[in-house]
Amino acid sequence: MASSSLRGSRAPPEGPTALPVRGQRSPAPPRVAGRGGSAPAAHRSRDESPLRRAAGSDARLRPPPLIGGGGSGSGGAGSGSAREGWLFKWTNYIKGYQRRWFVLSNGLLSYYRSKAEMRHTCRGTINLATANITVEDSCNFIISNGGAQTYHLKASSEVERQRWVTALELAKAKAVKMLEESGTSVSQTDKTELQNTLRTLSSKVEDLSTCNDLIAKHGTALQRSLSELETLRLPAESTEKIKQVNERATLFRITSNAMINACRDFLMLAQTHSKKWQKSLQHERDQRIRLEETLEQLAKQHNHLERAFRGATVLPASAPGTGGSAKDPCCPAKGDLSDEDDDNEFFDAPEIITMPESMGHKRTGSNISGTSSDISLDEQYKHQVEDTKKEKRTRIPYKPNYSLNLWSIMKNCIGKELSKIPMPVNFNEPLSMLQRLTEDLEYHELLDRAAKCESSLEQLCYVAAFTVSSYSTTVFRTSKPFNPLLGETFELDRLEENGYRSLCEQVSHHPPAAAHHADSKHGWTLRQEIKITSKFRGKYLSIMPLGTIHCVFHSSGNHYTWKKVTTTVHNIIVGKLWIDQSGEIEIVNHKTGDKCNLKFVPYSYFSRDVARKVTGEVTDPTGKVHFVLLGTWDEKMDCYKVTLGAGDNGAEGRQRAHEAEDSRVLLWKRNPLPKYAENMYYFSELALTLNAPESGTAPTDSRRRPDQRLMENGRWDEANAEKQRLEEKQRLSRKRREAEAARATEDGTPYDPYKPLWFERKKDPVTQELAHVYKGGYWESKEKQDWTLCPDIF
């Protein structure tokens, strides 16, 4: 889209004075009921059956009306939904409302800068099937599809606005109907159910044919018996009765013949269409196979070209780190955010990984990767702890260049929840999801500054910048983190250096959920519980974090909450991977009622806007805008103080806001990546230190996870084997808990389900949501080095 709309708790200010609409004047929406008023009569005359003509006025023998015979208005909605003309669209606080040419067609509302632009460039489109249409006042109305897109529109007059709203409502109704009808189509995954249904239908059709034969046979016999009765000499009254019965039998014969003919027609039609359906289904199967083969060939060719390019440009191994390029990264890790399958949830797929022995155990110049393979992991861990006690590490072993047949894995993942798909470590980076969650604190100084703010609105600006900053580390991070084992923890104690300490714990396995708690001596507390869901759609991977983040400032008591946006990884199969963030975040101060609405604008090839753009508004409880935020989620965020002046229609209380360059304040700017970051998974300075061994941590800490340590040291084949062992161990623990629960149910004895060690589930008094909250005890146990309660998960 050329411009993004800023959604606040109130409508945007009025723009320029509305100009006359010069577009084609559309007729008033048709009266749907009136257009179809004659349809039932026409339907009856067209579909009158021989049975009804034979039955005459006898209501008891008249079959019910045909279904759909009384329908009306379908054509009227379609014709009334097509419309085009000029409307004013809100753009931003600098330009206000801008005149745009809007076109409504096929359930989609699109807009252009001019009518001539329709031939080559569309500035934006919104699907009405999922949209909400709200009338604001005499000329203004809003169209929103639940967060991703919101159009604030203004017509030239109340009559013109009503025409547009009516046309939009009709188009929406038609689009919803079409969506429901398309939703009934049979997918490829239901082919077994479809075959069973076809077999059942065939059986029922045969039963129907048999019943038709029996009706014809018995009807003929009944008619013959009645004719024989008429020839007998009986009293006059009996003759009259037999005549009436004979008439009834004649009508029954006509009815039966009509039904037999209809059933025969149905049988022929069903048999004909059954063959067509089967042929169409087979055609779709063949098409899918050909598409899979084509995509696999493309993926192989792309992989071959990429390796050939790297082989032609890479420098000798004597100069480590110079072979990579920050502009052309090699990131083979593409996948989900979970490693388990539901039933076989800890069985990975080592047979699909082909690693030549000459490539295995490759060593780099790192001072922590030179340990030989015959030294135990415990000895390596102690050795590395000694090396990292003095200072924080600034590098890790370089990422090996292992080849992987990606398509052989991903082609079976399309449309599935990726937490159910087993993945090898080739898709990972040497950090766990708990450590990635801790990376949200990289720019903790934003919360330190927010804690010093006297104004809650200014404080909200820094909280919003902190929210955006948590995505800056993801711009090149296309590898997935290790999915934590149940009970796994991660601590980050930076109390002396930065004034905060953090603890994460994996509190649930299915669905995967992690709880996080951080305290700072500078006066703030951050806590969250995040569940990750993900879907692979063929061309891209969508990652949807679920859960609420809480930030509380101790001195003021301000309590902020917000949720994360959707992350999308593009070009999964072919092409260079890239990541985008899209959606909206609403940050709410539950004490004062202040709000900040942030919009992460999805990237578009056709947009002239900056990539990864983020816009936002900070409003007070009355909806008045005080600050406007502008920036990108991978670079920086600026803040503009809004100066309010009298608007064009100040009598109505509307005001316009202006952004002044002299009021701009730089809230946040991304730190530069370390040198040779492209060879170290694009880790930031904080990320490089997260997996460094530390003494005194809990035995469940992610730093002690052996498969993750092996992968970091470049021993990926051993890491895959170790990962399979760990997951099999956890799988057996889960089966054992399920068996104990089943026995307790049978015996009627109480059974305590799994409970996290450091967090407990409570209802949040602010959001009324059930969430895991830190209950204390971890740092006291660390001080005493008493880890007797920790489970053995590694």
Side-chain angles (χ1 to χ4, degrees):
M1 264 186 286
S3 60
S4 60
S5 55
L6 302 177
R7 294 184 57 209
S9 58
R10 69 188 287 265
E14 282 271 2
T17 304
L19 299 176
V21 176
R22 298 188 305 178
Q24 180 182 0
R25 178 168 179 170
S26 300
R31 283 179 280 183
V32 177
R35 291 177 62 94
S38 61
H43 213 145
R44 283 196 299 270
S45 62
R46 182 173 61 252
D47 297 319
E48 192 80 31
S49 65
L51 171 60
R52 186 172 301 187
R53 290 194 299 267
S57 60
D58 194 336
R60 289 171 296 178
L61 294 174
R62 183 173 299 158
L66 297 176
I67 297 175
S72 64
S74 60
S79 61
S81 63
R83 183 178 177 83
E84 59 183 23
W86 292 103
L87 287 172
F88 291 93
K89 179 182 180 295
W90 175 262
T91 55
N92 54 44
Y93 281 98
I94 297 177
K95 298 181 179 180
Y97 282 97
Q98 295 293 311
R99 197 161 173 259
R100 297 288 184 259
W101 182 260
F102 279 82
V103 176
L104 174 60
S105 178
N106 296 326
L108 301 175
L109 180 66
S110 307
Y111 73 92
Y112 311 83
R113 288 190 175 177
S114 65
K115 189 173 181 180
E117 201 180 51
M118 290 175 60
R119 294 192 296 266
H120 51 82
T121 305
C122 177
R123 297 294 172 178
T125 300
I126 191 167
N127 190 346
L128 296 178
T130 57
N132 293 320
I133 304 167
T134 307
V135 175
E136 206 175 15
D137 55 25
S138 61
C139 295
N140 293 11
F141 59 100
I142 300 172
I143 305 174
S144 174
N145 65 355
Q149 294 169 289
T150 301
Y151 293 172
H152 293 267
L153 305 176
K154 183 165 67 172
S156 60
S157 65
E158 185 174 358
V159 173
E160 188 68 13
R161 186 264 298 161
Q162 186 57 43
R163 287 173 178 168
W164 271 102
V165 170
T166 304
L168 289 167
E169 291 288 359
L170 289 172
K172 176 183 177 181
K174 186 175 180 181
V176 170
K177 183 179 179 181
M178 293 176 62
L179 187 65
E180 291 174 351
E181 291 175 353
S182 64
T184 60
S185 60
V186 182
S187 63
Q188 289 288 344
T189 55
D190 297 332
K191 60 182 180 181
T192 304
E193 183 180 351
L194 176 61
Q195 290 172 352
N196 293 336
T197 304
L198 287 175
R199 282 196 294 268
T200 304
L201 282 175
S202 299
S203 174
K204 295 299 181 183
V205 167
E206 290 177 1
D207 293 344
L208 194 58
S209 179
T210 304
C211 291
N212 287 339
D213 294 339
L214 290 174
I215 288 175
K217 179 181 177 181
H218 295 313
T220 303
L222 177 61
Q223 191 69 37
R224 189 186 309 114
S225 299
L226 290 171
S227 299
E228 291 174 355
L229 279 175
E230 286 184 345
T231 61
L232 298 177
R233 293 181 179 180
L234 296 171
E237 292 182 2
S238 301
T239 304
E240 188 65 26
K241 290 290 184 184
I242 291 174
K243 187 176 181 180
Q244 291 180 4
V245 172
N246 198 14
E247 289 177 357
R248 296 292 182 184
T250 302
L251 290 176
F252 172 74
R253 180 174 57 81
I254 295 173
T255 304
S256 301
N257 289 336
M259 193 183 79
I260 290 171
N261 292 332
C263 291
R264 186 179 297 111
D265 294 341
F266 170 76
L267 178 61
M268 293 177 62
L269 192 63
Q271 290 174 342
T272 303
H273 281 279
S274 176
K275 293 176 181 177
K276 289 182 180 179
W277 291 338
Q278 291 177 357
K279 186 177 180 181
S280 177
L281 180 62
Q282 187 59 43
H283 174 72
E284 292 297 329
R285 289 174 184 163
D286 296 340
Q287 287 285 87
R288 179 182 178 181
I289 293 173
R290 282 195 292 270
L291 180 60
E292 287 182 355
E293 292 173 351
T294 303
L295 278 175
E296 185 170 7
Q297 290 297 324
L298 282 173
K300 288 179 179 178
Q301 292 173 14
H302 177 79
N303 189 33
H304 175 74
L305 289 172
E306 201 173 52
R307 282 185 292 172
F309 174 77
R310 288 199 303 270
T313 57
V314 72
L315 294 178
S318 58
T322 58
S325 171
K327 300 196 176 195
D328 187 21
C330 173
C331 300
K334 312 170 180 69
D336 61 309
L337 288 180
S338 184
D339 301 310
E340 296 84 9
D341 188 69
D342 196 5
D343 295 326
N344 299 310
E345 53 188 359
F346 302 107
F347 288 101
D348 271 337
E351 68 277 4
I352 59 176
I353 305 171
T354 56
M355 300 184 191
E357 292 186 2
S358 60
M359 297 179 64
H361 311 292
K362 185 176 179 181
R363 293 292 177 264
T364 66
S366 174
N367 63 342
I368 64 172
S369 63
T371 55
S372 61
S373 58
D374 56 349
I375 300 177
S376 70
L377 283 174
D378 291 339
E379 293 175 354
Q380 291 183 33
Y381 187 85
K382 292 177 183 177
H383 175 70
Q384 292 170 2
V385 167
E386 294 174 359
D387 289 346
T388 55
K389 275 181 180 178
K390 299 178 182 179
E391 59 183 15
K392 297 288 187 293
R393 67 179 184 180
T394 59
R395 62 187 300 175
I396 60 174
Y398 285 175
K399 179 180 180 179
N401 185 17
Y402 285 151
S403 62
L404 176 68
N405 185 358
L406 173 66
W407 178 248
S408 63
I409 303 172
M410 302 306 290
K411 70 179 181 180
N412 297 319
C413 303
I414 297 176
K416 296 182 180 178
E417 166 61 54
L418 287 188
S419 63
K420 312 292 186 184
I421 306 297
M423 292 287 174
V425 301
N426 300 52
F427 290 91
N428 290 60
E429 61 182 18
L431 289 178
S432 76
M433 187 61 196
L434 303 180
Q435 292 164 316
R436 281 290 289 269
L437 207 57
T438 307
E439 281 191 73
D440 287 357
L441 297 171
E442 176 151 359
Y443 298 94
H444 61 89
E445 63 271 8
L446 291 171
L447 297 181
D448 296 342
R449 272 184 262 166
K452 299 176 182 178
C453 292
E454 296 181 0
S455 167
S456 62
L457 293 168
E458 292 180 6
Q459 187 179 74
L460 184 51
C461 292
Y462 283 106
V463 173
F466 173 78
T467 303
V468 175
S469 71
S470 63
Y471 296 96
S472 63
T473 60
T474 66
V475 62
F476 299 120
R477 300 274 287 277
T478 53
S479 303
K480 82 176 191 68
F482 278 79
N483 193 67
L485 302 174
L486 186 62
E488 186 174 334
T489 61
F490 179 74
E491 66 157 79
L492 186 65
D493 190 351
R494 296 291 169 87
L495 205 58
E496 295 182 3
E497 304 98 313
N498 306 118
Y500 73 88
R501 59 186 181 183
S502 162
L503 176 66
C504 292
E505 182 180 4
Q506 186 77 359
V507 296
S508 174
H509 182 58
H510 271 307
H516 179 210
H517 181 92
D519 269 318
S520 172
K521 63 182 182 182
H522 297 298
W524 54 266
T525 297
L526 185 77
R527 60 181 175 86
Q528 57 183 317
E529 180 183 348
I530 298 297
K531 300 179 180 68
I532 299 294
T533 61
S534 54
K535 286 286 185 181
F536 176 53
R537 299 299 186 186
K539 293 194 299 183
Y540 62 90
L541 170 70
S542 294
I543 302 163
M544 292 79 71
L546 307 175
T548 304
I549 305 171
H550 298 255
C551 183
V552 181
F553 292 94
H554 304 162
S555 59
S556 63
N558 289 333
H559 187 154
Y560 299 91
T561 62
W562 67 91
K563 297 178 184 290
K564 291 180 176 286
V565 295
T566 298
T567 301
T568 306
V569 185
H570 295 271
N571 293 344
I572 291 292
I573 301 300
V574 178
K576 182 179 178 180
L577 284 175
W578 60 279
I579 288 179
D580 196 20
Q581 315 287 348
S582 60
E584 293 192 8
I585 295 178
E586 184 181 61
I587 308 173
V588 181
N589 185 341
H590 292 275
K591 180 182 178 182
T592 64
D594 302 334
K595 292 183 180 180
C596 176
N597 286 87
L598 294 172
K599 179 172 183 179
F600 289 68
V601 181
Y603 175 77
S604 172
Y605 290 106
F606 306 104
S607 174
R608 294 185 297 179
D609 233 335
V610 295
R612 310 181 183 101
K613 183 178 178 181
V614 180
T615 60
E617 294 175 325
V618 175
T619 59
D620 62 18
T622 65
K624 184 192 299 182
V625 180
H626 290 265
F627 294 94
V628 173
L629 307 180
L630 186 63
T632 59
W633 55 263
D634 66 324
E635 283 295 336
K636 65 174 184 176
M637 284 298 293
D638 293 327
C639 172
Y640 297 86
K641 187 173 180 61
V642 174
T643 57
L644 298 175
D648 293 336
N649 10 352
E652 297 180 10
R654 293 265 184 174
Q655 293 174 314
R656 296 188 59 187
H658 304 273
E659 298 168 357
E661 183 62 29
D662 55 359
S663 70
R664 183 175 72 90
V665 175
L666 178 64
L667 296 175
W668 160 75
K669 187 176 182 180
R670 180 173 65 92
N671 298 327
L673 288 174
K675 193 176 182 180
Y676 306 125
E678 67 274 10
N679 299 324
M680 299 182 290
Y681 307 90
Y682 284 95
F683 281 178
S684 63
E685 290 183 359
L686 175 64
L688 288 173
T689 67
L690 291 180
N691 205 44
E694 290 186 13
S695 59
T697 58
T700 55
D701 196 89
S702 298
R703 300 176 181 89
R704 299 180 180 272
R705 182 165 174 165
D707 55 346
Q708 189 171 301
R709 182 67 57 190
L710 287 166
M711 186 203 171
E712 183 185 274
N713 292 336
R715 297 155 64 177
W716 285 14
D717 48 355
E718 296 174 60
N720 271 305
E722 187 65 20
K723 179 172 178 284
Q724 190 173 5
R725 181 191 69 81
L726 289 174
E727 293 174 341
E728 175 65 19
K729 180 178 180 180
Q730 184 173 249
R731 175 176 171 271
L732 294 175
S733 298
R734 180 180 65 86
K735 295 289 187 183
R736 185 169 59 252
R737 287 195 301 270
E738 291 176 352
E740 291 174 358
R743 283 198 300 270
T745 303
E746 293 175 358
D747 300 340
T749 57
Y751 173 75
D752 292 331
Y754 175 83
K755 293 181 180 179
L757 190 56
W758 311 111
F759 289 80
E760 59 182 346
R761 201 174 189 209
K762 291 182 176 179
K763 177 180 280 191
D764 187 87
V766 174
T767 63
Q768 301 300 314
E769 297 175 348
L770 284 174
H772 285 86
V773 181
Y774 178 60
K775 64 180 180 181
Y778 179 86
W779 303 108
E780 293 77 7
S781 296
K782 181 181 179 182
E783 186 177 353
K784 299 175 185 177
Q785 284 299 294
D786 180 13
W787 304 116
T788 54
L789 296 177
C790 291
D792 177 20
I793 60 175
F794 299 143

